[in-house]
Amino acid sequence: MSSSAPIQWESLPLPVRLVMERLESKGFQVFLVGGCLRDLLRGENPQDYDLASTVPPEEMEQLLSPYPVIATGLRYGTVTAVVEGQALEITRLRREGGYKDGRRPDWVLPTEDIREDLARRDFTINAMAFSPSHGLIDPFGGAQDLEKRLIRAVGEPGRRFQEDGLRILRGLRFASRLDFDLEQETARALVEKRHLLGQVAQERITGEFIRLVEGMAAPRVLEEFFPVAVQVVPELQTLQGFEQHTPYHIYDVWQHTLRVLDGVGEGREVRLAALFHDIAKPQCFFQGRRGTGHFKGHAVAGGAVTGQILKRMRFPTQLREEVCQLVRWHDEDIPQTDEAVRRWLNLLGPVQLRRLLLLQQADSRAKSPRSDTLFAGRLLQRMENILQRGDCFTLKALAVRGNDLKAMGFSGPQVGRTLERLLDQVIKDPEKNQREILLALADKWEIQ
């Protein structure tokens, strides 16, 4: 992946070129800005494209006719144009006043100078612009910082974070997802100003935090900026330096946690579960007669603590429940049998069981060289074999239905109980999932 790939005008999506060409032909300035330009310079394909222009938003609809133009943020001069099926966000070039509330500028005024617009942005890698007539405009060295893989604040870092405390987490999110380092002064100010996160709405913090955790460099970033992580999730504080006093763990709880996070792969549910899977170990710790550490009940307690954290952070209910479930079951010993795996598939479903086994696998690898790192891997393979064969492990896949039992004379709750008994038999022996066999079993039970 190149950090200095030139912008190829012809390679830009047709809707982007159509809009830029039309606005320039009418005498306006228009630029590619933000994350899409950063991605293009890194040789990647952006997921979406943002434009900045000197066009007053109220004139945009007429200039881009017949394409639909939707007012999506008129306070900041932003509209969304839908061109050839692609949504393009276009914002009026602007300059801003101070940020007394630590979130919004006191005033916003339009400008004709792209450099004034770029000067108000957070980090140099986001403070560049490109147009076919002006080329790349980079007043703060963003392209050079891309080459160096650095996150550097535009201007004085403390001021940038004072303006909007969320930029603290944004900086860490970029470092995590891009695997970049923080420039020294930016890093220092970021830690010093971490208290400003207390002024930021929880929903905004949560949005940045989850994207930070999803980044493949999250373990390194969380370790380097632990004080900021604790500012967001105070419960993490007790994990650092907490020795486990067991031959099965050679790391303290925090170092072990980071290694688990590093090993679980992608997916926000499993990555959050990795971060919080041992969150309750300190409160459950006790030492036996020989000084060996024990953490009885830490998984169940961890599920409860994780639920409190995610609820406070206002994560969606389903995500919260799935993460808590993974934390609660992460220490469970699943037998190496097809029947056991089918029962867990019935309990959790394929997606969630795969997450659990990936978490268990990463957990084992992060303990010590003496750990059995193949155990969860063998269960994963066993599960894939079961799914490939099409073994039945749900009522939906059962060869009989409630109406079949009703036709035999079953009624009320008896129908549901009998279906569950039949499913139990099929989970034990998938060969029994045949209509004739199951109806015969049901008939026998009815007689009894």
Side-chain angles (χ1 to χ4, degrees):
M1 176 172 52
S2 172
S3 296
S4 57
I7 305 298
Q8 300 292 336
W9 172 251
E10 296 78 10
S11 67
L12 295 177
L14 178 60
V16 174
R17 287 184 280 129
L18 284 174
V19 169
M20 297 185 78
E21 286 172 346
R22 180 174 295 193
L23 296 183
E24 283 204 340
S25 71
K26 300 295 184 179
F28 295 99
Q29 299 181 69
V30 59
F31 305 89
L32 279 175
V33 292
C36 66
L37 182 54
R38 183 184 67 237
D39 290 343
L40 287 168
L41 290 172
R42 298 179 67 237
E44 295 189 347
N45 292 321
Q47 293 184 348
D48 47 44
Y49 287 80
D50 294 334
L51 302 174
S53 80
T54 55
V55 180
E58 60 271 15
E59 296 180 24
M60 194 68 74
E61 184 173 4
Q62 179 181 354
L63 289 170
L64 293 183
S65 178
Y67 300 116
V69 175
I70 307 162
T72 50
L74 283 182
R75 179 177 181 181
Y76 297 106
T78 301
V79 299
T80 299
V82 182
V83 181
E84 303 292 328
Q86 182 168 352
L88 301 173
E89 192 171 272
I90 310 171
T91 301
R92 180 75 163 89
L93 293 184
R94 67 182 191 261
R95 54 194 179 93
E96 300 173 344
Y99 286 66
K100 290 181 181 177
D101 66 356
R103 177 181 176 183
R104 300 179 182 88
D106 298 337
W107 51 262
V108 176
L109 293 175
T111 180
E112 302 294 310
D113 187 350
I114 181 62
R115 287 167 178 78
E116 281 191 317
D117 184 273
L118 297 177
R120 67 180 177 79
R121 296 176 183 258
D122 51 9
F123 302 104
T124 62
I125 61 172
N126 298 328
M128 297 178 284
F130 170 83
S131 77
S133 57
H134 293 81
L136 181 66
I137 299 173
D138 182 18
F140 304 104
Q144 187 177 40
D145 284 341
L146 278 179
E147 289 280 0
K148 294 179 179 179
R149 304 178 67 83
L150 276 182
I151 307 296
R152 182 194 306 271
V154 172
E156 200 279 304
R159 178 183 175 185
R160 283 284 92 100
F161 298 134
Q162 194 75 42
E163 290 172 344
D164 185 354
L166 189 67
R167 288 171 173 168
I168 293 168
L169 279 185
R170 278 175 58 81
L172 297 188
R173 187 248 292 183
F174 288 130
S176 174
R177 295 179 74 88
L178 300 176
D179 196 13
F180 282 16
D181 292 319
L182 271 291
E183 180 270 331
Q184 185 176 356
E185 288 302 310
T186 302
R188 181 186 57 77
L190 187 148
V191 174
E192 287 182 356
K193 299 290 186 178
R194 65 187 183 276
H195 64 278
L196 295 173
L197 287 167
Q199 303 174 12
V200 180
Q202 183 61 65
E203 289 85 356
R204 299 179 75 214
I205 289 176
T206 297
E208 292 294 337
F209 182 75
I210 183 56
R211 285 184 280 181
L212 188 168
V213 173
E214 286 180 303
M216 289 298 104
R220 174 182 62 81
V221 173
L222 290 171
E223 181 173 24
E224 290 180 10
F225 296 92
F226 186 68
V228 180
V230 170
Q231 183 73 33
V232 178
V233 185
E235 291 87 346
L236 295 174
Q237 180 71 68
T238 59
L239 304 188
Q240 189 177 63
F242 197 99
E243 298 296 337
Q244 307 201 53
H245 300 283
T246 165
Y248 302 106
H249 282 276
I250 62 174
Y251 306 107
D252 68 35
V253 179
W254 180 236
Q255 290 299 318
H256 166 74
T257 294
L258 295 177
R259 283 165 171 77
V260 175
L261 179 60
D262 193 42
V264 292
E266 298 180 353
R268 58 179 49 185
E269 295 85 0
V270 74
R271 291 187 73 77
L272 283 170
L275 181 62
F276 295 128
H277 79 286
D278 278 350
I279 195 74
K281 268 194 169 180
Q283 72 186 54
C284 295
F285 175 74
F286 68 94
Q287 286 182 282
R289 293 180 179 178
R290 298 182 179 179
T292 301
H294 300 278
F295 303 92
K296 186 175 181 180
H298 82 277
V300 174
V305 174
T306 300
Q308 295 168 5
I309 294 171
L310 299 185
K311 186 174 183 179
R312 182 182 72 231
M313 296 184 73
R314 300 182 184 176
F315 277 91
T317 300
Q318 181 177 340
L319 177 65
R320 185 172 75 236
E321 291 175 349
E322 290 175 345
V323 173
C324 290
Q325 189 179 59
L326 293 173
V327 173
R328 190 165 59 246
W329 291 111
H330 83 270
D331 208 34
E332 191 71 15
D333 186 12
I334 301 175
Q336 283 278 356
T337 67
D338 283 2
E339 179 185 343
V341 174
R342 283 191 291 268
R343 294 197 181 282
W344 279 89
L345 281 167
N346 173 258
L347 177 66
L348 301 181
V351 173
Q352 187 74 335
L353 181 57
R354 185 177 286 108
R355 291 170 182 155
L356 177 62
L357 295 178
L358 288 172
L359 178 59
Q360 289 189 338
Q361 187 176 55
D363 192 18
S364 295
R365 288 173 176 165
K367 290 179 181 178
S368 79
R370 299 175 55 181
S371 300
D372 181 3
T373 59
L374 299 177
F375 189 84
R378 290 191 292 265
L379 285 171
L380 275 166
Q381 185 58 58
R382 193 178 290 271
M383 183 189 76
E384 297 300 339
N385 293 340
I386 287 170
L387 294 175
Q388 189 173 17
R389 288 197 307 263
D391 290 3
C392 172
F393 52 85
T394 65
L395 288 173
K396 184 178 180 180
L398 204 60
V400 298
R401 296 286 184 268
N403 287 337
D404 297 318
L405 299 183
K406 290 177 182 178
M408 296 174 61
F410 289 86
S411 63
Q414 187 182 27
V415 175
R417 288 196 298 268
T418 303
L419 286 173
E420 290 290 350
R421 288 185 67 186
L422 291 174
L423 178 60
D424 181 70
Q425 291 296 311
V426 169
I427 288 177
K428 290 179 181 177
D429 181 5
E431 296 296 326
K432 290 182 178 180
N433 193 31
Q434 302 178 44
R435 190 170 187 275
E436 297 77 11
I437 294 175
L438 296 180
L439 291 177
L441 279 172
D443 185 55
K444 177 182 177 181
W445 293 337
E446 184 182 31
I447 294 173
Q448 292 176 345

